[in-house]
Amino acid sequence: MSNPEQLFADFEAKLADAQRKANQMRTEIESVSVSERSKDGQISVKVNHAGNLVGLEIGPSARDNPALAQEILRVVQSAQSKLAGAMQTGVPSIAGSETMNELVDQLHNEYPEPEPTGYVEGGHRTVDEDDRFVAEDELDAPPPAPKPPVPPAPPAALPRAARRQQTDHEDDYFTGGDFLR
């Protein structure tokens, strides 16, 4: 059996090594950031390792754009969606480990790819009559003909003889008649 003092020394060494690795991993994670530019180059954003906006630059021609806020949000979302890839390359201390896989999955779920430009979630866009999709068949086809009226049901109060004339070919099981005759 080993000396108890040696066991404690080994345990403290392993604990110090784990603490050093955790600090290194934290430093690497905190150094990860992603920068992204809009398509026209007028908006530039930077997000940190947690997806928070830490830098924003707006070019002079973009400031008059009525959709400026939406474009900024789209560029931020695009930058956030690239965090998982940046984390994989920027944190080598846990590369290939289960911890890295979990971190990348969490980032993918938290920050998905942005919708394509022009996409309107939930269809809240107003549609002009000329802007609406109409199948070619709809344009040339006449309106459907009205359905013919349904004839009224026969009155239930017909005399028994009249009902029997209508249903001579059927057996009368449910009216109390003798179905064996």
Side-chain angles (χ1 to χ4, degrees):
M1 183 153 214
S2 296
N3 179 357
E5 292 169 3
Q6 182 62 39
L7 288 173
F8 281 121
D10 290 345
F11 179 74
E12 287 176 353
K14 288 180 183 178
L15 187 60
D17 186 48
Q19 185 66 41
R20 183 188 53 76
K21 287 180 181 178
N23 288 338
Q24 178 186 355
M25 182 176 67
R26 181 180 302 119
T27 302
E28 290 172 355
I29 288 174
E30 289 175 351
S31 70
V32 171
S33 65
V34 175
S35 296
E36 183 75 10
R37 285 191 166 282
S38 62
K39 289 181 182 177
D40 62 3
Q42 291 295 308
I43 300 171
S44 176
V45 300
K46 183 176 182 179
V47 295
N48 67 6
H49 67 283
N52 297 322
L53 181 65
V54 294
L56 172 64
E57 294 178 19
I58 302 171
S61 65
R63 292 183 182 148
D64 296 332
N65 183 353
L68 178 61
Q70 289 82 12
E71 183 64 16
I72 290 170
L73 291 174
R74 191 197 65 72
V75 176
V76 168
Q77 188 178 14
S78 179
Q80 289 171 333
S81 71
K82 295 176 181 175
L83 274 173
M87 203 60 78
Q88 285 178 316
T89 58
V91 186
S93 65
I94 58 172
S97 70
E98 187 176 327
T99 304
M100 175 57 82
N101 295 337
E102 186 65 33
L103 180 62
V104 167
D105 287 344
Q106 182 180 359
L107 287 169
H108 277 299
N109 291 335
E110 186 75 25
Y111 303 114
E113 287 287 323
E115 296 296 337
T117 305
Y119 173 79
V120 177
E121 185 176 339
H124 297 293
R125 181 175 161 242
T126 58
V127 179
D128 295 337
E129 197 60 33
D130 297 334
D131 196 22
R132 176 175 80 87
F133 172 76
V134 179
E136 289 181 19
D137 297 344
E138 279 185 51
L139 295 174
D140 298 331
K147 294 182 179 179
V150 177
L158 283 176
R160 187 175 182 152
R163 282 190 301 206
R164 283 204 177 152
Q165 284 179 347
Q166 289 179 342
T167 60
D168 278 342
H169 65 283
E170 298 175 8
D171 291 332
D172 190 8
Y173 292 109
F174 301 106
T175 61
D178 187 5
F179 61 90
L180 296 175
R181 287 195 252 174

